[in-house]
Amino acid sequence: MPLEEIILSLLRLQKGHISAKNLANETGMSISAISKRINLLRKYGYDVELSHRRGYRLASETDLPVPWELVKVLNTLFVGKDKKIIYRLTTHSTQKLAILLAEKNPNSDGTVIIAEYQKSGRGRKNRKWLSPKGGIWLSVVLRPSMPASNITLLPFAAALAVCDAIKKTTQLDAKLRWPNDVTISGKKVAGILIDSSIEAERINYAVIGIGVNANVDSSIISLHLERSIKVTSLRNELGHETSLLGLTKEILERLEYYYIELEHRVPHTIIEKWKKNSDILGQKVALMQSDRTIQGIAADVKDDGSLLVKADNCEDIYVVASDIYVRY
Ligand code: BTN
């Protein structure tokens, strides 16, 4: 947004008010073009006041993870670097956009797509993911050079990153729930979705979708879910808003950290860290299968990411991709 950025820097330089006429003179734009750009800045979360006598004043900076602000604070090696952050006020799904990009652009490694609002956000198992304004809805394109078998560990690395980031920025006691949910007091606050393309044992690309119920009203989200799924949001837990810019920065930095760890070290480390942050082990679980429900205790998570359940009938069951519901 080069033209908005010029207006933004003039507003910042001025500190107080600057008239529309002066902004127009400085930028070579018309007064109506200035007004349009100011409205766009407001949509991007900047509070620009207008006094009819004195002109415009930047009352407060944005807290949205818009690319030009995120790059200033983001401390990563390749994720979101080199203009690889795309921001949309509205889109159908960041995941859909990221997959299209990964399919057509071989240089898309590390690209981050963020949306303020998703019209048709997608959850695991093709469920709908409600994505109103106030949440963090993003997808990251990765082109991993790791064995295709490690792909099952990517969601664990991503969930761990989100859990770390929430703990660091909010001090809330976030936990991990198998396979890749982040919870607070047993209620889901964030979810991870992975789409990948694998050819001949080689990972062509992986798209990691991350959804965090940050500054949203969790009661609205609950209305759209099955009653057995309990959800919360950071705002509901904290009683106040949290910085979307700060939280997005932390998520991306931690995601890159665990991703590099997964590429260069034994997968075992990711699962060990995941287990330390999870409260599921030792808990009663019910495995909901199409024709039956198996009750048991969640005993372990194996290095390939599968969950070992000691069933009440003494059977050992390794769960790979089924949904489990933890009873509290
Ligand atoms: C889950 O079901 O727990 C996973 C939810 C993942 C939602 C995120 S929001 C950003 C990205 N775009 C989507 O459409 N879905 C993922």
Side-chain angles (χ1 to χ4, degrees):
M1 60 142 220
L3 287 173
E4 290 80 8
E5 243 174 318
I6 296 171
I7 296 179
L8 200 53
S9 50
L10 289 169
L11 289 169
R12 282 185 184 131
L13 269 176
Q14 190 68 21
K15 298 218 167 65
H17 288 81
I18 177 164
S19 69
K21 201 170 154 211
N22 277 353
L23 279 174
N25 284 343
E26 295 274 352
T27 56
M29 285 187 243
S30 67
I31 290 189
S32 78
I34 293 284
S35 152
K36 271 194 200 136
R37 303 282 168 180
I38 296 268
N39 280 339
L40 203 54
L41 284 175
R42 289 182 179 132
K43 283 196 181 144
Y44 287 128
Y46 298 91
D47 182 5
V48 186
E49 288 175 356
L50 173 63
S51 142
H52 284 291
R53 278 190 305 117
R54 292 183 293 168
Y56 294 106
R57 184 180 81 92
L58 181 62
S60 66
E61 296 281 343
T62 185
D63 182 46
L64 297 177
V66 288
W68 51 94
E69 299 295 350
L70 190 52
V71 287
K72 285 192 219 159
V73 292
L74 190 63
N75 193 5
T76 50
L77 296 171
F78 76 100
V79 169
K81 285 284 169 195
D82 306 324
K83 301 203 175 358
K84 283 183 175 169
I85 304 174
I86 299 170
Y87 191 87
R88 295 276 183 272
L89 292 168
T90 303
T91 189
H92 286 280
S93 155
T94 57
Q95 199 75 359
K96 201 171 157 187
L97 274 184
I99 293 170
L100 284 175
L101 188 74
E103 293 277 354
K104 70 165 195 238
N105 183 353
N107 296 321
S108 50
D109 193 24
T111 304
V112 182
I113 303 185
I114 307 173
E116 191 180 1
Y117 164 67
Q118 295 186 119
K119 286 189 260 187
S120 36
R122 184 161 59 86
R124 291 180 57 242
K125 298 188 178 279
N126 268 330
R127 291 189 190 110
K128 199 172 146 81
W129 181 267
L130 211 71
S131 322
K133 278 186 185 182
I136 292 180
W137 324 124
L138 66 84
S139 300
V140 182
V141 179
L142 295 171
R143 297 189 171 273
S145 59
M146 58 177 84
S149 56
N150 273 7
I151 195 101
T152 55
L153 298 177
L154 264 183
F156 289 85
L160 199 49
V162 174
C163 186
D164 278 5
I166 290 178
K167 285 206 276 199
K168 182 165 175 201
T169 52
T170 65
Q171 276 76 51
L172 287 167
D173 190 20
K175 295 278 180 205
L176 292 163
R177 188 165 67 187
W178 192 91
N180 39 42
D181 289 349
V182 184
T183 59
I184 296 171
S185 311
K187 290 172 276 181
K188 178 161 171 169
V189 73
I192 311 293
L193 175 69
I194 307 275
D195 287 290
S196 59
S197 148
I198 298 175
E199 277 169 58
E201 283 307 295
R202 222 189 101 249
I203 305 173
N204 193 8
Y205 66 79
V207 171
I208 303 190
I210 296 177
V212 185
N213 300 332
N215 301 329
V216 299
D217 183 353
S218 50
S219 61
I220 293 176
I221 293 179
S222 304
L223 288 176
H224 295 262
L225 295 172
E226 296 156 36
R227 249 193 288 157
S228 57
I229 304 175
K230 295 194 183 78
V231 292
T232 190
S233 72
L234 298 179
R235 190 174 69 190
N236 278 69
E237 297 298 318
L238 290 167
H240 59 80
E241 306 244 311
T242 202
S243 162
L244 298 185
L245 181 60
L247 184 56
T248 305
K249 161 192 155 67
E250 287 300 327
I251 290 174
L252 296 176
E253 287 175 5
R254 296 308 290 166
L255 179 68
E256 183 183 88
Y257 172 83
Y258 286 123
Y259 174 68
I260 292 175
E261 187 155 274
L262 195 58
E263 272 198 315
H264 297 291
R265 294 172 63 177
V266 276
H268 182 72
T269 11
I270 295 288
I271 294 296
E272 281 312 306
K273 283 187 187 154
W274 189 94
K275 284 199 268 192
K276 281 203 183 93
N277 283 278
S278 174
D279 57 359
I280 181 186
L281 299 182
Q283 294 254 13
K284 269 195 150 199
V285 294
L287 300 180
M288 319 294 280
Q289 292 181 330
S290 53
D291 52 343
R292 59 182 185 154
T293 299
I294 301 169
Q295 319 262 1
I297 301 285
D300 199 8
V301 175
K302 298 292 168 193
D303 281 356
D304 62 356
S306 60
L307 176 77
L308 168 62
V309 174
K310 298 250 174 222
D312 291 351
N313 65 4
C314 297
E315 216 184 316
D316 278 358
I317 303 173
Y318 291 88
V319 190
V320 181
S322 146
D323 251 351
I324 64 162
Y325 298 101
V326 183
R327 278 210 210 102
Y328 293 95

